[in-house]
Amino acid sequence: MSYKEGMLREDALKGKTILVTGGGTGLGKSMGLYFLKLGANLVITSRKLDVLGATAKEMESETGGKVLALSCDVREIEQVEKMWADALAHYGKIDVVLNNAAGNFISPTERLSTNAFNTVLDIVLKGTSNVTLTAGKSWIQSKQAGTFLNIVTTYAWTGSGYVVPSAAAKAGVLAMTRSLAVEWAKYKIRSNAIAPGPFPTEGAWSRLLPGDLVKKFDPAKKVPVGRVGDHQELANLAAYLVSDFSAYVNGEVITIDGGEWLMGAGE
Ligand code: HXC
């Protein structure tokens, strides 16, 4: 056995339809692919339909599953509502929302323009609330059970320099996760979160750390277990939290970072 292997039985998500925002690349793509392998139908969204379309094809040919690619900027409520309506029309129901879409700049805060700061708040906090409200209202109205899984980071509670808008927005997403876990449980809607530590994703790391920085950066340096995460480890945890095996887990945030955050917050 290895942490690089899938953990759940092959029908763990059979009959579920799962929406993954930011599902065309990176961690969203890895989690979505594993959901498919466990029998789920998938909806993936992002702003880039060409990237999504290629990912959907790749995922379908690898698993034989069904993937619907819909372009959607989560900051725009009209686009979110249209995406939700299109996904419902296609599959008839959606059972799970994985709020994974994010944006981030690593920068001294005083160098960020107001627009840059607000861009990160808008993608992370408003984007998550747009999708959450749309899905939640729809589930409540149709008396359908639902599950939210939100991606946050440990600096949502430790704080961290140079990622202030992201930290503020992720703290908001964590508060939303816990608050809705209390309020919407009566509608059979669960809300949980995962706080991943360093998991390499080509796109995000090279964009966040431009030029030589990405080569000099050793993401495993502060991790007590001495390595970065494998995407399958995150996918195993995400699949558990969206499956019915975790029916009694609600309002929880689970950190998967090899113990990194206990080494102390950044500047
Ligand atoms: C500072 C920047 C900037 C940068 C752009 N801006 N890049 N400011 N540093 N590197 C400014 C722009 O000048 C502009 O302000 C404002 O931000 C908006 O820029 P746009 O290009 O119009 O933004 P937009 O197209 O909306 O895209 C924002 C985006 C997003 C965040 C780049 O497109 C994106 O790609 N997100 C997905 C990738 C990602 O960020 N993943 C990271 C998640 S990982 P002005 O004032 O000029 O108009 C994560 C955890 C990692 O968050 C933890 C690591 C520590």
Side-chain angles (χ1 to χ4, degrees):
M1 293 292 180
S2 143
Y3 58 79
K4 298 185 179 187
E5 289 171 42
M7 182 180 81
L8 294 182
R9 47 191 256 190
E10 278 175 17
D11 62 351
L13 299 177
K14 197 158 180 247
K16 288 196 190 295
T17 302
I18 302 181
L19 166 68
V20 182
T21 66
T25 57
L27 298 178
K29 179 180 173 185
S30 297
M31 289 185 276
L33 182 63
Y34 189 49
F35 298 161
L36 271 178
K37 288 180 179 166
L38 299 177
N41 295 323
L42 212 61
V43 185
I44 54 173
T45 77
S46 79
R47 287 179 297 169
K48 296 178 186 142
L49 196 54
D50 53 336
V51 175
L52 282 178
T55 297
K57 262 195 195 147
E58 187 189 321
M59 286 174 155
E60 285 184 338
S61 67
E62 190 173 336
T63 63
K66 284 198 267 177
V67 185
L68 177 66
L70 294 174
S71 98
C72 174
D73 186 332
V74 290
R75 292 171 284 192
E76 305 295 335
I77 187 65
E78 295 79 14
Q79 291 188 33
V80 171
E81 287 173 345
K82 181 172 187 319
M83 174 274 292
W84 185 261
D86 289 348
L88 271 187
H90 188 84
Y91 284 120
K93 70 175 175 76
I94 296 160
D95 306 277
V96 173
V97 169
L98 172 52
N99 279 307
N100 167 75
N104 201 356
F105 306 127
I106 296 178
S107 169
T109 309
E110 68 277 15
R111 282 201 214 143
L112 287 174
S113 69
T114 305
N115 188 37
F117 200 105
N118 288 340
T119 294
V120 175
L121 291 183
D122 280 352
I123 296 172
V124 176
L125 185 52
K126 191 171 127 188
T128 300
S129 65
N130 279 343
V131 177
T132 300
L133 263 185
T134 303
K137 285 177 180 175
S138 165
W139 284 335
I140 291 166
Q141 201 191 9
S142 60
K143 296 192 169 34
Q144 208 215 300
T147 301
F148 289 110
L149 181 59
N150 298 327
I151 302 301
V152 297
T153 62
T154 57
Y155 58 58
W157 60 90
T158 63
S160 173
Y162 308 100
V163 285
V164 170
S166 172
K170 294 288 192 184
V173 172
L174 181 55
M176 188 162 33
T177 307
R178 289 175 168 150
S179 303
L180 287 177
V182 174
E183 190 183 331
W184 282 355
K186 61 178 175 284
Y187 299 120
K188 299 194 175 1
I189 298 172
R190 289 190 299 134
S191 299
N192 289 296
I194 296 178
F199 283 82
T201 58
E202 258 320 301
W205 284 24
S206 54
R207 200 185 58 74
L208 288 170
L209 298 161
D212 270 359
L213 277 180
V214 73
K215 285 185 210 129
K216 288 183 196 148
F217 173 63
D218 177 8
K221 201 173 62 191
K222 264 184 68 189
V223 181
V225 304
R227 64 170 175 85
V228 296
D230 186 274
H231 283 213
Q232 186 61 48
E233 295 177 283
L234 179 64
N236 282 335
L237 178 58
Y240 166 70
L241 287 174
V242 303
S243 78
D244 295 335
F245 292 119
S246 63
Y248 205 51
V249 182
N250 187 32
E252 190 52 81
V253 54
I254 301 184
T255 300
I256 176 164
D257 73 344
E260 183 192 42
W261 81 273
L262 296 166
M263 301 291 279
E267 184 187 343

